[in-house]
Amino acid sequence: MLFQSQFYVLVFLPAAAAIYYSVANWTIGRQWVLIGLSLIFYGWWDVRFVALPVAQIAATWLLARVHERLQSRIPLIIGVALNLLSLGTFKYLDFLLASIEAASGMTLPRAHIILPIGISFFSFQLISYLVDRMRGNAPIYPFRSFALFVLLYPHLIAGPIVRHNELVPQFAADPRRDGLWARIGIGLVIFTVGFAKKVLLADRLATITDPLFSQATTRALDFGEAWTAALAFSFQLFLDFSAYTEMAIGSALIFGLILPENFRRPYLATNIRDFWGRWHISLSNFLRDYLYIPLGGNRHGALVYVCATMATMSLCGLWHGAGWTFVFWGLWHGIGLIVCRGWQQLKRPLPGAAGWVLTMLFVLVGWVLFRAANFSTAGSILISLSGAGGISGALQEIPLLIGAAFACALIPSAHEIMNRLTMPRPEFAFGAAALAVYCILEAGRGPPLNFIYFQF
Amino acid sequence: MRFKMQVAAADSTRAWRRFVKLFVATLVTSLAVIYFLVLVLDPYDSGRMTNLAVSGVVDENPRTANASRGRDPGFNSVVIGNSRGQLLDPKRLSDATGLSFVQLTVPGVGAQEQLTLLRWFIQHHRQIGAVLLVADPVWCTQKLGPPASPFPFWLYSESPFEYSLNMLDTKALDLAWRRTLLWLGLRKRSRPDGYWDYEAGRTWAFRPETPINFTPAATQVTSPKVSFPAVTLLQTTLASLDSDVPLAIVVPPVFFTELPARSDSNADLIAQCKGALEEVAIRRKRGVFLNFEVDGEIARNPKNFMDEVHYRAPIARIIEADVASALSAAK
């Protein structure tokens, strides 16, 4: 089920909220209701997929209980290994086989396993819990609370990646507590903002990017086409992913639950470190706390810092997709982060505008690597972008690109809306509802397009 | 927790409750009004819920516009096919046969979409003059898959529920508005007979490279040894037609390089598919089968084609004349 489908907006969400609030005074009951709704939501694609997160959750919870009993780290290590094994099998096995084939020249059988959606997200959440157990920072939760922390449908498929200690304590709070109407009202507004970004902008940008990146696999794009493709994808990726996040945060708010921030207008960043403080924040925080710092971070000398950064960012790339282009995208950003930190230590800051231009060009080049089917396609597009293949062709769909650029720069993030929307004015309710109506009508035009991050 | 929400002060609870109620009331009321209006205005002129005083639609997309054309009582005969039947002029066919043809061809569609349109036409006509099916290789598939591009099967569905589930969108709203303007005389109706000349406004530029040593297979029609699911479905659909209704199945011409090569393993399968289509035609009292997909003068002359598979107007005139003669002979 997709957030922007008419079925979700007009049937599932209202029905889910009605059922949830009908048992709101029963703490255990409302948690089971949310678990049931989340399983229906997840199983909507393919009911067979439901078994995987349920099995991973059950195994992780049982191993945490064993750890509690034995006070040995071994069950937790087994738990981390099991979750990584699941992720590795479903997401990376074919990639591994293809890499071995390429390196050795052998022909190996492929597994052709269908990637269960959201596996990267729920596996990471389970691993973070196990690591926190090792650090003594995670209690044993009742099974239903633990299961709901992972399964809660608004964040299950594509985040934000939530920590157990951010979410589980909220399950005990009565959703009808003070601020009920404010949470529902703000949730509706945030959901509508995400809905509009998805159906009015991101899906329209997809009609530009998909054919251009596809054509780039067979021919060199001209200068105008290459810039159109790169800009359109840059806007599309942010608008699509932030739209999902906003619909997730908005949906959760309607149930009285607050999910963490994931974006803070990243295309306003003036350096690459700033960019990573604004882009996919829940993943950045996860990688920082569970990978970068354990690898040494920046407190053990320059060499450790460089190695930790490059390792973290290459794994960040690999997390996004089972392909070498993703790994190189991560390495590209790793280099950017290292150079940026080095420059900042020189204490010679660039003027804001120059920093912004450089950062955006750097990010844009990265997105070409990220989106292209392979290195040769990425190389071809980058050559066209640079003008080395000639300055010909014009930028296409300029009004849409300008509209998308303004949306990226001006639309506040979910938490900005949460914190700023303090005056519930009637005209704003009318305006938001009118926008929601238009989005519902637009969403009915055809089969909904998947969110880009579902493939990760 | 590193994030928190400014919880509304107690004195603003009332304001927020009003905000939510206004949002929900506006949303529900607007959607209900729009939905009701769209159903009443019948944007596709499908005649399911209401029958307005005005006929036809303002819609250039044949996938949806054919719902109106297919039930138009002004026509008693139909051309079914994809873009390879598009250039057959219903007016010329009507003049030559004394019948009244409507074009229900849709570019880019497969056999299932064509069958859906044929069923729609049959359902909405008590007296049918003739059916002309332009059958290209989409009928020869051995496995019916999902359509290559979206097709509104719901619009032609027998289920009003399926139809009504698809009425809440901007396209339906736009067409409902256009239909209102048509009713008020402020817009012109889209061509009722569905004819569209794909040569109009285009420059003929077909310059094929003839492959060296290309030898087409003998373009024969052989008895089918395997079954073709689309042809079987066609047989079933035609069973609902009076046995006296004339049927013409035309296999359209292609530039000779598109004919199966002698070395092509599919050549025999294509010959069998034609055989299956011919059987469907000749089983009927007044059925004819015309195979233009042969090597010869038409296929060898690039001036006869817009591209490898789309013939030009002079060839359309030949096909129309041959169809008219064959239908006359079948009386």
Side-chain angles (χ1 to χ4, degrees):
Chain A
M1 199 183 308
L2 292 164
F3 283 151
Q4 82 276 25
S5 64
Q6 286 187 343
F7 182 77
Y8 178 76
V9 177
L10 297 177
V11 180
F12 189 87
L13 181 59
I19 296 168
Y20 179 72
Y21 279 100
S22 70
V23 293
N25 58 350
W26 181 25
T27 310
I28 295 172
R30 65 173 183 258
Q31 290 181 46
W32 281 115
V33 163
L34 277 184
I35 289 172
L37 291 167
S38 299
L39 290 173
I40 292 169
F41 184 87
Y42 189 75
W44 206 258
W45 281 278
D46 190 332
V47 75
R48 291 169 301 171
F49 287 169
V50 171
L52 185 70
V54 170
Q56 283 184 236
I57 289 164
T60 303
W61 185 77
L62 284 171
L63 287 163
R65 299 274 303 190
V66 174
H67 167 253
E68 179 82 350
R69 179 81 52 94
L70 301 179
Q71 291 301 309
S72 159
R73 289 164 67 97
I74 291 173
L76 301 179
I77 293 167
I78 292 172
V80 172
L82 280 177
N83 281 296
L84 286 175
L85 184 69
S86 169
L87 187 59
T89 306
F90 283 98
K91 188 165 178 178
Y92 298 109
L93 186 58
D94 276 344
F95 168 64
L96 184 68
L97 292 171
S99 299
I100 294 171
E101 272 184 358
S104 66
M106 292 188 298
T107 303
L108 298 169
R110 299 291 174 85
H112 295 300
I113 298 173
I114 297 170
L115 180 69
I117 54 170
I119 188 170
S120 305
F121 289 90
F122 62 74
S123 296
F124 265 34
Q125 291 193 183
L126 291 167
I127 290 168
S128 76
Y129 172 75
L130 290 165
V131 173
D132 282 353
R133 284 286 303 167
M134 287 183 207
R135 293 171 176 172
N137 292 335
I140 294 287
Y141 296 110
F143 180 73
R144 74 171 175 279
S145 301
F146 183 71
L148 183 55
F149 142 64
V150 182
L151 287 173
L152 183 69
Y153 83 82
H155 75 71
L156 174 61
I157 312 295
I161 298 170
V162 188
R163 311 281 178 86
H164 55 92
N165 54 2
E166 289 171 333
L167 197 53
V168 176
Q170 296 188 56
F171 298 151
D174 189 332
R176 299 164 304 168
R177 65 191 181 276
D178 280 350
L180 163 70
W181 293 104
R183 282 189 298 278
I184 294 176
I186 293 170
L188 290 171
V189 171
I190 291 173
F191 185 91
T192 303
V193 168
F195 197 9
K197 280 161 89 170
K198 174 65 178 163
V199 300
L200 304 183
L201 290 169
D203 288 353
R204 291 181 186 178
L205 288 163
T207 63
I208 307 175
T209 55
D210 292 350
L212 284 174
F213 273 92
S214 172
Q215 288 165 31
T217 59
T218 54
R219 68 171 179 88
L221 301 182
D222 67 33
F223 184 72
E225 288 172 330
W227 275 96
T228 304
L231 286 171
F233 181 67
S234 302
F235 298 141
Q236 183 203 353
L237 184 64
F238 168 66
L239 291 167
D240 190 274
F241 192 16
S242 63
Y244 180 89
T245 300
E246 280 142 18
M247 285 190 265
I249 291 174
S251 297
L253 262 182
I254 290 169
F255 296 110
L257 302 168
I258 301 172
L259 298 181
E261 184 68 294
N262 224 13
F263 294 96
R264 214 174 290 131
R265 290 192 257 187
Y267 291 155
L268 297 182
T270 53
N271 64 61
I272 205 68
R273 293 180 78 193
D274 184 20
F275 175 80
W276 278 100
R278 294 163 174 265
W279 178 270
H280 203 172
I281 299 165
S282 64
L283 177 69
S284 304
N285 291 343
F286 180 94
L287 293 172
R288 181 196 63 204
D289 295 345
Y290 297 101
L291 203 56
Y292 173 72
I293 292 173
L295 285 171
N298 61 4
R299 295 190 178 173
H300 297 89
L303 183 63
V304 171
Y305 163 71
V306 168
C307 292
T309 303
M310 294 306 277
T312 302
M313 292 312 293
S314 60
L315 286 169
C316 171
L318 195 59
W319 177 87
H320 280 88
W324 287 107
T325 50
F326 288 105
V327 177
F328 272 78
W329 169 78
L331 290 171
W332 171 253
H333 274 274
I335 293 166
L337 287 167
I338 291 164
V339 170
C340 179
R341 187 162 184 269
W343 184 269
Q344 286 175 332
Q345 287 176 337
L346 294 175
K347 309 276 185 209
R348 294 171 64 184
L350 286 174
W356 178 79
V357 170
L358 276 178
T359 306
M360 290 305 107
L361 283 174
F362 184 90
V363 169
L364 190 99
V365 169
W367 289 145
V368 171
L369 262 175
F370 189 91
R371 176 63 175 79
N374 49 48
F375 285 114
S376 66
T377 305
S380 163
I381 296 173
L382 290 173
I383 289 168
S384 301
L385 271 179
S386 71
I391 311 285
S392 61
L395 208 58
Q396 300 166 12
E397 302 285 353
I398 292 172
L400 178 58
L401 292 177
I402 291 173
F406 275 108
C408 291
L410 299 179
I411 296 177
S413 70
H415 279 241
E416 283 176 309
I417 294 171
M418 233 185 256
N419 293 323
R420 287 185 192 173
L421 187 58
T422 51
M423 291 290 288
R425 279 186 282 202
E427 60 271 24
F428 194 64
F430 283 125
L435 180 62
V437 167
Y438 186 67
C439 292
I440 289 168
L441 294 173
E442 267 297 287
R445 280 188 80 99
L449 291 181
N450 263 347
F451 289 91
I452 294 173
Y453 260 66
F454 277 22
Q455 62 190 294
F456 306 140
Chain B
M1 201 182 302
R2 283 163 294 179
F3 52 88
K4 60 183 177 184
M5 181 182 156
Q6 301 287 329
V7 173
D11 59 356
S12 70
T13 297
R14 196 176 303 149
W16 274 111
R17 186 188 292 150
R18 194 178 59 193
F19 181 92
V20 171
K21 283 182 178 173
L22 272 174
F23 182 98
V24 173
T26 307
L27 185 95
V28 171
T29 309
S30 307
L31 288 175
V33 169
I34 290 168
Y35 193 56
F36 175 75
L37 285 175
V38 166
L39 284 179
V40 168
L41 291 168
D42 192 9
Y44 301 100
D45 188 22
S46 73
R48 286 170 187 276
M49 304 286 180
T50 53
N51 252 323
L52 293 186
V54 63
S55 296
V57 288
V58 185
D59 183 6
E60 302 313 318
N61 184 348
R63 285 161 201 265
T64 43
N66 282 351
S68 171
R69 290 179 187 129
R71 67 183 203 95
D72 189 336
F75 302 103
N76 64 5
S77 303
V78 63
V79 184
I80 298 286
N82 53 29
S83 61
R84 296 174 67 185
Q86 180 67 59
L87 212 56
L88 300 181
D89 185 345
K91 185 169 184 310
R92 284 192 171 90
L93 280 168
S94 301
D95 291 346
T97 58
L99 299 168
S100 182
F101 274 89
V102 63
Q103 265 273 9
L104 295 189
T105 57
V106 179
V109 294
Q112 293 187 84
E113 296 93 312
Q114 294 176 43
L115 282 167
T116 300
L117 288 165
L118 177 58
R119 276 193 287 267
W120 179 259
F121 183 81
I122 293 170
Q123 280 168 17
H124 289 89
H125 289 81
R126 286 191 187 154
Q127 297 287 323
I128 294 179
V131 171
L132 167 54
L133 172 69
V134 183
D136 73 346
V138 298
W139 290 86
C140 301
T141 179
Q142 295 231 267
K143 191 178 176 186
L144 284 174
S149 52
F151 185 82
F153 288 103
W154 52 266
L155 180 54
Y156 304 94
S157 163
E158 288 180 18
S159 158
F161 180 67
E162 194 181 352
Y163 166 81
S164 54
L165 279 182
N166 287 278
M167 285 291 101
L168 194 60
D169 65 62
T170 41
K171 171 156 179 147
L173 187 61
D174 178 35
L175 288 175
W177 172 243
R178 291 192 206 182
R179 199 136 188 263
T180 308
L181 295 178
L182 178 69
W183 198 6
L184 297 171
L186 299 172
R187 285 291 294 262
K188 199 177 158 202
R189 179 183 177 179
S190 296
R191 192 168 166 148
D193 69 2
Y195 181 63
W196 170 61
D197 179 359
Y198 57 61
E199 284 196 65
R202 290 188 195 183
T203 310
W204 175 77
F206 183 45
R207 304 271 187 277
E209 282 184 26
T210 308
I212 302 164
N213 296 330
F214 177 80
T215 315
T219 47
Q220 56 193 345
V221 177
T222 57
S223 295
K225 299 184 201 78
V226 295
S227 75
F228 299 91
V231 179
T232 308
L233 283 173
L234 173 65
Q235 182 75 53
T236 311
T237 304
L238 291 171
S240 62
L241 266 183
D242 279 352
S243 56
D244 283 344
V245 175
L247 166 72
I249 297 181
V250 170
V251 180
V254 291
F255 188 60
F256 82 101
T257 55
E258 285 298 302
L259 294 167
R262 185 175 287 172
S263 55
D264 189 342
S265 58
N266 276 329
D268 182 52
L269 203 64
I270 291 167
Q272 287 186 52
C273 177
K274 288 180 185 173
L277 287 165
E278 184 178 37
E279 276 187 11
V280 170
I282 61 177
R283 266 187 210 162
R284 296 188 62 83
K285 277 188 195 166
R286 298 167 68 192
V288 295
F289 176 77
L290 301 169
N291 179 23
F292 287 89
E293 195 188 71
V294 293
D295 194 10
E297 275 181 34
I298 291 177
R300 292 277 170 172
N301 186 354
K303 288 185 178 169
N304 289 333
F305 295 91
M306 290 296 287
D307 58 30
E308 281 82 354
V309 295
H310 292 99
Y311 49 85
R312 300 186 64 209
I315 306 306
R317 302 296 86 83
I318 292 171
I319 297 172
E320 288 156 6
D322 283 9
V323 167
S325 305
L327 288 177
S328 300
K331 278 180 183 171

